[in-house]
Amino acid sequence: MRTPHVVVVMGVAGTGKTTVGPLLAARLGVPYAEADDFHPPASIAKMSAGVPLDDDDRWPWLDAIGGWAAGRAGLGGVVSCSALKRSYRDRLRAAAPGVAFVHLTGDRALIEDRMGHRRGHFMPATLLDSQFAALQPLQPDEAGVAVDVAGPPEEIAGRAATALDA
């Protein structure tokens, strides 16, 4: 039996990290953590005001997520986290070396449409451009897979689980 890994479901806002993450965790039989819960109130206020976070805002957040992932080493878990830049993923890997990534990708128009339909989320669709500008897709030397977000969430989680198992 394989040691369960910690998986970070990553991607720009609106790709469905918060929807697909718990479904993937259920398929893998491991706990799920929502990265938004690790944001300090000041960061949520900043994003709610339509101001993108900078790296200084993100380091403590990434460290908290990395701490959670490190605590799940050998036990497994799934956490959502935008992890848009290689340096962010490197920081997560430094805290939890066995972490793997599922990069949710998709057509910008589809993602923007989905963002327009969600309610009660602090991240406005106006920040989508800044998300795409910051995005550095997974590189071949990074443990992980890219999964397109077209289709229903259960199907996306299934494709992610299959890709991780391959």
Side-chain angles (χ1 to χ4, degrees), residues 42-138:
S43 291
I44 291 174
K46 193 172 183 179
M47 288 183 284
S48 295
V51 179
L53 299 181
D54 58 30
D55 287 350
D56 288 337
D57 297 319
R58 287 190 181 98
W59 299 134
W61 173 66
L62 289 164
D63 291 342
I65 294 167
W68 182 89
R72 298 298 312 161
L75 302 171
V78 173
V79 61
S80 61
C81 174
S82 54
L84 298 178
K85 293 183 181 180
R86 172 74 185 246
S87 61
Y88 303 165
R89 297 188 298 272
D90 289 345
R91 194 160 182 130
L92 292 171
R93 275 190 293 272
V99 73
F101 295 87
V102 170
H103 180 187
L104 298 180
T105 64
D107 177 72
R108 188 190 190 292
L110 172 66
I111 295 167
E112 187 172 23
D113 180 64
R114 287 182 179 174
M115 285 184 80
H117 287 93
R118 64 184 187 181
R119 300 286 172 250
H121 195 277
F122 59 82
M123 175 69 99
T126 56
L127 290 181
L128 190 55
D129 286 338
S130 71
Q131 293 264 299
F132 274 107
L135 177 62
Q136 296 171 343
L138 283 177

Side-chain angles (χ1 to χ4, degrees), residues 134-161:
L135 177 62
Q136 296 171 343
L138 283 177
Q139 296 303 301
D141 66 325
E142 294 184 89
V145 297
V147 178
D148 190 275
V149 297
E154 295 80 8
E155 181 183 308
I156 298 164
R159 287 196 313 262

